[in-house]
Amino acid sequence: MKIYKPEWHCTFTVNEAAGAAASWRTRLAWRLRHWADRLDGKGRTVTIECNVEPTVTAEEIDTCLVKGFEVTHSLLNQLAQQAACEDVMRDAKAELFEQGPPR
């Protein structure tokens, strides 16, 4: 009986700046992105490198990225809601948040 073993490889990297060993062209491109972000005043530039073997289509990768950003959006909404609730509680019940000696 032959045993089959599926093999795959996936790397996923998100960068917000050029690496230390980056070429001058890459460093210049990142400098321009940084300036564009500052001029825009909003947003954040990142690069995503995704290598998958066996090969999957760009459409499948895009679908996964969209779903990942939807999850990220949901998590950020939860964090914002928690922060808002904490702000209200700190205002309404400041005594609960006072730092005192441990009991």
Side-chain angles (χ1 to χ4, degrees):
M1 173 192 272
K2 186 173 182 177
I3 298 174
Y4 294 92
K5 181 182 172 192
E7 294 184 19
W8 67 93
H9 179 74
C10 179
T11 58
F12 185 81
T13 308
V14 178
N15 293 309
E16 289 188 278
S23 69
W24 68 269
R25 288 180 187 190
T26 302
R27 289 192 313 273
L28 176 61
W30 274 107
R31 174 72 64 192
L32 292 172
R33 289 181 184 108
H34 178 71
W35 288 337
D37 287 346
R38 285 179 47 193
L39 284 173
D40 226 4
K42 57 185 171 187
R44 191 174 189 167
T45 298
V46 296
T47 60
I48 299 172
E49 295 175 31
C50 183
N51 299 305
V52 182
E53 291 178 21
T55 305
V56 296
T57 67
E59 202 171 84
E60 291 170 320
I61 292 173
D62 292 346
T63 299
C64 290
L65 289 172
V66 167
K67 288 181 180 181
F69 284 116
E70 288 171 354
V71 170
T72 301
H73 181 246
S74 174
L75 291 171
L76 288 171
N77 268 323
Q78 288 176 20
L79 283 173
Q81 181 183 16
Q82 290 169 4
C85 290
E86 185 175 322
D87 287 348
V88 168
M89 286 299 297
R90 283 183 184 277
D91 188 46
K93 294 287 185 178
E95 65 273 8
L96 296 175
F97 294 90
E98 289 176 359
Q99 296 294 329
R103 296 182 189 189

